[in-house]
Amino acid sequence: MARAFNVPGECLVLVKGNVASSIPNLSELGLAEGPIQVVPRYVHSPIVLDAHGAVPVEHQMMLCDAVVSMRLINYDNTVLQACLQEAAAGVTAGTQPRAGTLMGGGVARFAAGNHYVGLNLTSPVMGFPYRFLYAMIDGQPQFPMGTEKSVVSLNWIAVAYMVDPWNGGLGALGSVVWDNTLDT
Amino acid sequence: MAVTSGRQFVVNGETMITAKGGEHLSGGPLGYLTELGLAVDKVVIRPRYYHVGVQLDDFGPEAFADVIANLIDCRIHATLIHYDRKAIDTCIAESFGGGFLPDEDSLGTPRYAGIMLGGYKDYHASGWHFTSLNLLSPQLQKPYHFPSVYLTGPPLEIPLSTTVTALKCEWQAIQYRPPPTTASGRAPFEELTSQNLPLWTRTAQSG
């Protein structure tokens, strides 16, 4: 493939939750004020040998997750509230779930009880969208209140959830943090 | 002459723990080869070697002239975080001589003091209260199989809270001697010997 300037294009954020959520179908969340940042986090464990001093001689790949940051300026507040609800393990935004509720709930993607959300970022120009299969709003979203248009700051974390982490002896092999096919 | 070496980084892989108990558990967990669970961190095996020094006056009062090897036992430590609750309850019950099965609520009730876990019964026979334990090795392909273990403590810690319960378990493995049998199937009187008893093997149980 030849070098080129890569322009993803107008990135629309689409989300989809479990069948019992307020967003059981693929829904438009919104458009961002600026670039949406996709930040994969690769975790490598260094292996240090005394014979090699303090510098790692080898690394073990200990999987990855991803952080997706966006500042939404043209968004559907109902869909946003639904995402916040799922981030709170299915209870209405602003109320508390039981402490310790499992986000995946031990069930498959989009099954009732799985509160991870499918986070989709379109890429109409480059044709290289992102789909994070198991994402949730994390940390401290910000909702400015005032007479100016509201630009909502969201940070999502995406993980490779598995119903059975043993996976028939394969462990995390094959689990998906993201791919490049949008949900339907 | 060139020196050859088989050195490598050793990665055991995702270590699933499986277990199987006596025939009296048939129809429930540990009545068949059961997946106990996955650990939050390393599963640690600690063999304990027992040695007695042989002293001779010629060698002085401290140094040994020879050493007698008096077998070994082994501790296996794992903090389980994704596990079968009923299987673990059954392990706990078997470790104190068996609970009242199939009453799940009575798995916390020992029958009486003085029960022998092996009771001179064969591996996995009805009334044999040891458990076999397997530590799988999907990457290195060198699992551990302990034919006779029992859950012991401390530490056996069962934290209760809103966070996921990570069960701190410790098993003791011994070289249990099952009875030899005659052609008639009846065990003859025979002195227990320690010869050729596996504490562990490197082939996982398959059933």
Side-chain angles (χ1 to χ4, degrees):
Chain A
M1 187 178 171
R3 287 179 295 108
F5 292 109
N6 287 292
V7 180
E10 302 85 346
C11 183
L12 178 63
V13 182
L14 303 160
V15 292
K16 184 176 179 181
N18 72 60
V19 294
S21 72
S22 304
I23 45 171
N25 303 309
L26 193 63
S27 307
E28 293 183 1
L29 176 57
L31 295 164
E33 179 187 50
I36 294 174
Q37 294 289 352
V38 174
V39 182
R41 297 189 303 192
Y42 290 86
V43 180
H44 292 98
S45 286
I47 298 176
V48 176
L49 294 178
D50 183 70
H52 282 247
V55 177
V57 64
E58 167 70 291
H59 285 83
Q60 288 187 275
M61 204 288 165
M62 289 301 193
L63 308 184
C64 72
D65 59 13
V67 173
V68 182
S69 302
M70 59 187 68
R71 287 170 54 82
L72 297 177
I73 193 168
N74 184 283
Y75 59 91
D76 185 329
N77 190 52
T78 303
V79 176
L80 175 60
Q81 296 305 312
C83 291
L84 293 169
Q85 181 168 337
E86 291 309 302
V91 297
T92 304
T95 59
Q96 301 274 35
R98 301 196 77 129
T101 304
L102 294 170
M103 287 295 289
V107 297
R109 190 178 189 229
F110 300 144
N114 186 327
H115 298 290
Y116 288 112
V117 168
L119 178 66
N120 297 262
L121 310 177
T122 66
S123 174
V125 175
M126 189 176 164
F128 195 73
Y130 276 87
R131 172 175 64 162
F132 299 88
L133 279 71
Y134 305 100
M136 60 184 183
I137 293 175
D138 190 45
Q140 299 166 301
Q142 294 182 17
F143 309 105
M145 302 288 289
T147 56
E148 280 208 58
K149 78 285 179 192
S150 195
V151 180
V152 172
S153 276
L154 298 177
N155 286 310
W156 298 76
I157 186 167
V159 298
Y161 166 78
M162 299 190 90
V163 174
D164 177 10
W166 171 238
N167 192 21
L170 297 175
L173 179 65
S175 59
V176 180
V177 181
W178 75 81
D179 61 20
N180 303 107
T181 305
L182 294 174
D183 280 323
T184 55
Chain B
M1 189 165 78
V3 175
T4 59
S5 171
R7 287 178 296 107
Q8 59 180 305
F9 291 112
V10 178
V11 178
N12 189 66
E14 303 86 346
T15 306
M16 168 66 78
I17 302 177
T18 64
K20 185 178 176 182
E23 183 63 29
H24 57 283
L25 300 170
S26 173
L30 273 63
Y32 44 85
L33 190 61
T34 306
E35 288 182 356
L36 275 186
L38 295 164
V40 70
D41 203 329
K42 309 169 190 60
V43 177
V44 180
I45 299 170
R46 291 194 189 93
R48 293 193 301 191
Y49 291 82
Y50 297 100
H51 294 100
V52 174
V54 176
Q55 288 183 287
L56 293 177
D57 185 70
D58 271 10
F59 280 65
E62 279 86 34
F64 300 143
D66 201 341
V67 174
I68 297 172
N70 277 336
L71 300 186
I72 57 175
D73 58 22
C74 192
R75 288 248 169 163
I76 304 115
H77 178 87
T79 302
L80 297 179
I81 195 159
H82 194 265
Y83 54 88
D84 183 330
R85 276 193 310 123
K86 192 163 181 195
I88 290 292
D89 279 351
T90 306
C91 272
I92 293 172
E94 288 298 293
S95 72
F96 50 66
F100 294 98
L101 302 169
D103 182 355
E104 187 177 346
D105 289 341
S106 297
L107 284 175
T109 305
R111 287 182 290 140
Y112 52 86
I115 295 175
M116 295 191 74
L117 294 187
Y120 206 53
K121 294 186 170 62
D122 202 353
Y123 294 114
H124 304 297
S126 181
W128 182 80
H129 294 293
F130 284 110
T131 306
S132 63
L133 200 73
N134 302 275
L135 310 179
L136 302 189
S137 176
Q139 294 192 38
L140 186 63
Q141 297 289 306
K142 291 296 286 185
Y144 276 87
H145 166 65
F146 297 88
S148 44
V149 309
Y150 58 96
L151 202 58
T152 186
L156 171 61
E157 292 182 12
I158 309 170
L160 303 175
S161 74
T162 56
T163 57
V164 173
T165 292
L167 212 59
K168 200 175 284 189
C169 300
E170 186 121 334
W171 285 272
Q172 171 108 337
I174 68 163
Q175 290 168 278
Y176 172 72
R177 175 90 197 184
T181 52
T182 63
S184 69
R186 296 169 66 181
F189 175 80
E190 184 174 298
E191 186 177 334
L192 285 175
T193 65
S194 62
Q195 214 171 24
N196 298 325
L197 291 178
L199 180 65
W200 70 69
T201 66
R202 302 305 296 271
T203 305
Q205 244 175 333
S206 56

